[in-house]
Amino acid sequence: MSKIANAGALSARQILDAFDVWLSERVAEARAAGMDLAFHDREFDIAPGREPPLVGWSHMLLAPGGCPPKGPDWTVYRLQDQGSAANSAGGGLDQDGLRLALEALGYGAYLNPARMG
């Protein structure tokens, strides 16, 4: 059962664009705090004229390597060094990383190659 209620009849592009902005801001917030990021979908809150007009995700910052939140449907991004070479590169989530993350979340069919770089 989906938790997403698209009462505003938003297009997939509008939803992906909103998620792109939201996720980029949360990743930046987590990196600046030296934390990992956990997030999940929630029902859309759509308010035209508000900035941002669409909110559909909840998040929390975790201590590096900390336990994921209890409950279903949480995605955890391990943004801090977890002791493996794969995580030690540092830096922000680049366009390839964002594309891979969105594909892993099932949004790959909606990606616009021109927008992704």
Side-chain angles (χ1 to χ4, degrees):
M1 180 171 102
S2 173
K3 292 188 280 185
I4 298 174
N6 192 356
L10 298 172
S11 73
R13 172 59 40 212
Q14 290 171 305
I15 294 169
L16 283 174
D17 286 347
F19 182 68
D20 179 11
V21 170
W22 183 88
L23 182 59
S24 296
E25 289 173 355
R26 299 299 74 75
V27 167
E29 175 185 355
R31 284 197 177 278
M35 306 287 273
D36 290 338
L37 173 66
F39 66 93
H40 69 92
D41 292 334
R42 65 178 178 94
E43 289 187 23
F44 285 163
D45 175 10
I46 304 166
R50 179 185 65 196
E51 192 55 41
L54 167 65
V55 178
W57 307 276
S58 294
H59 78 288
M60 68 174 34
L61 301 182
L62 303 173
C67 292
K70 302 264 188 246
D73 304 323
W74 283 91
T75 298
V76 176
Y77 284 178
R78 299 295 183 187
L79 302 172
Q80 304 307 315
D81 186 359
Q82 307 296 313
S84 75
N87 291 325
S88 63
L93 184 64
D94 62 14
Q95 290 299 310
D96 287 336
L98 179 59
R99 180 183 49 77
L100 290 172
L102 290 173
E103 285 174 352
L105 292 169
Y107 294 111
Y110 301 104
L111 297 176
N112 177 351
R115 179 168 167 78
M116 293 306 295

